[in-house]
Amino acid sequence: MRSRFGLLVLIIAVLSACATNTSRDTARSIAIVGATVVYPERDTNTTLADATVVISGERIVAVGPRASTKVPAGATTIDGHGNWLIPGMIDGHVHFFQSGNLYTRPDAADFNAVVPYAQEVTRNKQRLDATFKVWLASGVTSVIDVGGPFWNFSVRDAANKSAAAPRVETTGPLISMIAREQLDLGDPPIVRIDSADAARALVAREMPYKPDFIKVWFIHQPGDDLAAQTAIVKATADAAHAAHVRLAVHATELDVAKAALRVGADYLVHSVFEQPIDDEFIALMRKNHALLCPTLFVRNGYRLALSNQWQATPEEQRLADPQILAAMHDLDRIPKDKIPPRVAKLMADKPALASPTVSLQNLKKLEDAGIPIVMGTDAGNIGTLHGPSVFREMALMRDAGLTPLQVLRSATTNGAMAMGRSDLGAIAPGKLADLVLLDSDPLVDVGNLSHAQRVIKNGVVFEPGALIEGIR
Ligand SMILES: [Zn+2]
């Protein structure tokens, strides 16, 4: 894994050197003057007060004390006094084929009688530009889509062509232990694989699209043969690694997650949810140099939305896609006979939320053990909205006992590590100019991460309110 990262870092370094040489003199300059720069990658000296940050074109070219850092002639100046500047945030677990509304996972709750699933997917494709903008407005300048149909790869292309979009890494269809026929419109996001050969064949079909990860949906149900399933995961891992692509795995039980790590998982896209992790798990994470994305909110997102108890947070009211927000209370108006029985029961019972206590304890244990944690929401699942759901997730990470600095590091430094990008996730000369200017101190309260005045991606400045106004 080190060598795969090493090669990527070298390639990026060479490319960036080429880009800088040709564009430095002619590029537009921006200077952010007087802000407190935050360095989430550091353990000490984590801020620089009254700083100047100079951007030329798409890159940061200077960071230093205001008194000694020159603002180039002709630069556009942004007054940062009283503000904090952080690297653009990264969500390490999203799904663009899902919208977060009730109609987006008919395998979990079948609302085809209300909104046909094909119509929902068409909506999600047509609404991509707006979805990109809610991410940026939330201060998230990069996301990793860890699984969807083959058209996921065109989402990455669209994002990379657009200024007003986060950087997107993506993988294709999930190599899954179980089928999800309800999601199959001809280009299924989840493909049941029952042999090592079939796993290798699906990896081979994804390779021409240059996936950033190969993803396994390692669902282990009572009675399943764990050894046989693990052999499929191993075949997938070996095929991915042979092509220098990392393996992301969904595995939420301790034994299953360990099995995934033993055969080479690089990125666990969820925590172990129900059992305390142990020393062996931590040792396996370390051995693989693996990363872990805890996704603490997503399961309660389903429960809240499907029992009609979901309420938008103030951040969601401000920053979510207004179309999705408007649909989150559709259970108030859907005729009773069109509500799936399981949902009707949830609405009647109004179950108390399952406390994610074990997940929170596992997160704290991993953080204390020095395992790199990557902030990620699993956005797109029912009740977990693209964009501002990051603030629900980071509040839970705080509840787990992480410091604001550790939470911010998971959303920047470690997110960049998950992306395999050494040019993201920090404020330093040579890094890409992905930045968020906040009006309050993120190292005092993670809630302050939602107070973006400006979001800068690739050297282009956006105002969050204007981004959301533009998609109303
Ligand atoms: Zn997911």
Side-chain angles (χ1 to χ4, degrees):
M1 175 146 155
R2 286 254 188 255
S3 63
R4 287 197 294 280
F5 270 136
L7 179 62
L8 189 60
V9 168
L10 179 67
I11 291 168
I12 290 165
V14 170
L15 289 176
S16 60
C18 299
T20 314
N21 285 345
T22 54
S23 62
R24 179 172 286 163
D25 297 336
T26 51
R28 277 164 327 103
S29 293
I30 299 169
I32 303 157
V33 179
T36 297
V37 168
V38 182
Y39 299 109
E41 73 278 18
R42 297 185 186 175
D43 289 318
T44 56
N45 299 319
T46 52
T47 57
L48 175 64
D50 200 14
T52 290
V53 173
V54 181
I55 298 167
S56 176
E58 62 185 19
R59 281 182 196 272
I60 298 165
V61 293
V63 180
R66 181 168 61 92
S68 58
T69 305
K70 194 168 162 276
V71 174
T76 305
T77 300
I78 296 173
D79 182 4
H81 287 92
N83 294 337
W84 281 257
L85 191 67
I86 61 167
M89 291 187 285
I90 297 169
D91 187 322
H93 187 154
V94 314
H95 298 281
F96 281 108
F97 79 99
Q98 306 179 151
S99 68
N101 71 18
L102 297 171
Y103 315 114
T104 214
R105 282 300 291 265
D107 54 330
D110 188 348
F111 285 99
N112 269 292
V114 182
V115 174
Y117 181 56
Q119 184 183 320
E120 159 69 6
V121 171
T122 302
R123 194 213 77 90
N124 296 346
K125 288 183 187 174
Q126 289 172 345
R127 193 70 178 158
L128 267 179
D129 281 346
T131 306
F132 290 156
K133 285 176 182 162
V134 299
W135 280 113
L136 274 194
S138 302
V140 177
T141 52
S142 296
V143 299
I144 306 176
D145 186 317
V146 294
F150 272 98
W151 62 262
N152 244 10
F153 293 110
S154 60
V155 174
R156 182 180 60 186
D157 294 343
N160 290 342
K161 274 188 213 135
S162 167
R167 300 173 197 280
V168 172
E169 288 199 348
T170 197
T171 182
L174 308 192
I175 289 169
S176 172
M177 302 298 156
I178 56 173
R180 279 290 195 250
E181 287 92 357
Q182 302 95 326
L183 303 180
D184 189 353
L185 301 170
D187 178 11
I190 293 171
V191 178
R192 178 163 187 264
I193 293 294
D194 55 11
S195 72
D197 279 345
R200 284 186 281 267
L202 182 50
V203 172
R205 272 179 64 210
E206 295 193 32
M207 279 308 155
Y209 299 90
K210 301 195 187 316
D212 297 292
F213 290 88
I214 291 292
K215 164 88 174 281
V216 169
W217 216 38
F218 198 167
I219 306 295
H220 179 73
Q221 294 167 322
D224 288 346
D225 180 345
L226 185 61
Q229 291 183 316
T230 306
I232 291 173
V233 181
K234 181 175 191 314
T236 309
D238 292 348
H241 290 163
H244 306 287
V245 176
R246 289 174 296 156
L247 186 72
V249 179
H250 166 125
T252 60
E253 301 85 14
L254 184 59
D255 287 352
V256 182
K258 281 184 188 174
L261 288 166
R262 282 194 201 99
V263 297
D266 302 297
Y267 184 28
L268 296 186
V269 298
H270 297 286
S271 184
V272 170
F273 286 133
E274 312 292 1
Q275 287 159 277
I277 54 165
D278 57 15
D279 291 345
E280 187 188 23
F281 178 82
I282 291 171
L284 286 164
M285 288 289 298
R286 237 182 233 134
K287 179 161 175 264
N288 286 19
H289 303 286
L291 310 169
L292 185 142
C293 180
T295 65
L296 301 169
F297 175 70
V298 62
R299 295 195 306 169
N300 275 340
Y302 273 94
R303 289 190 191 101
L304 287 167
L306 295 178
S307 61
N308 204 20
Q309 299 181 91
W310 193 94
Q311 295 291 338
T313 61
E315 294 79 21
E316 285 163 344
Q317 284 166 8
R318 258 191 310 123
L319 298 166
D321 182 342
Q323 271 193 10
I324 300 300
L325 276 184
M328 290 311 289
H329 297 286
D330 281 1
L331 284 171
D332 290 338
R333 59 166 190 81
I334 296 172
K336 274 205 169 71
D337 62 326
K338 293 193 169 172
I339 294 178
R342 180 179 157 238
V343 176
K345 184 163 182 347
L346 284 168
M347 289 171 70
D349 294 351
K350 299 241 178 292
L353 286 189
S355 159
T357 312
V358 176
S359 311
L360 299 193
Q361 288 166 348
N362 284 344
L363 170 56
K364 178 75 168 113
K365 225 183 265 184
L366 287 163
E367 179 71 46
D368 290 348
I371 302 298
I373 300 300
V374 179
M375 191 278 293
T377 55
D378 213 351
N381 279 289
I382 296 176
T384 304
L385 274 48
H386 289 282
S389 64
V390 295
F391 305 114
R392 290 192 192 252
E393 187 67 26
M394 292 191 288
L396 285 168
M397 297 175 87
R398 172 199 60 206
D399 294 347
L402 269 58
T403 65
L405 178 67
Q406 288 170 334
V407 174
L408 181 60
R409 184 179 295 164
S410 78
T412 53
T413 318
N414 296 352
M417 211 190 291
M419 296 182 79
R421 297 280 301 249
S422 62
D423 54 354
L424 297 174
I427 302 178
K431 305 283 184 193
L432 287 164
D434 289 5
L435 301 158
V436 182
L437 191 65
L438 302 166
D439 72 2
S440 43
D441 185 349
L443 299 184
V444 167
D445 179 354
V446 293
N448 291 342
L449 289 165
S450 71
H451 297 182
Q453 300 292 299
R454 297 278 188 283
V455 179
I456 303 173
K457 186 239 162 176
N458 219 32
V460 181
V461 182
F462 298 94
E463 199 270 300
L467 283 168
I468 298 300
E469 227 17 77
I471 61 171
R472 265 182 212 287

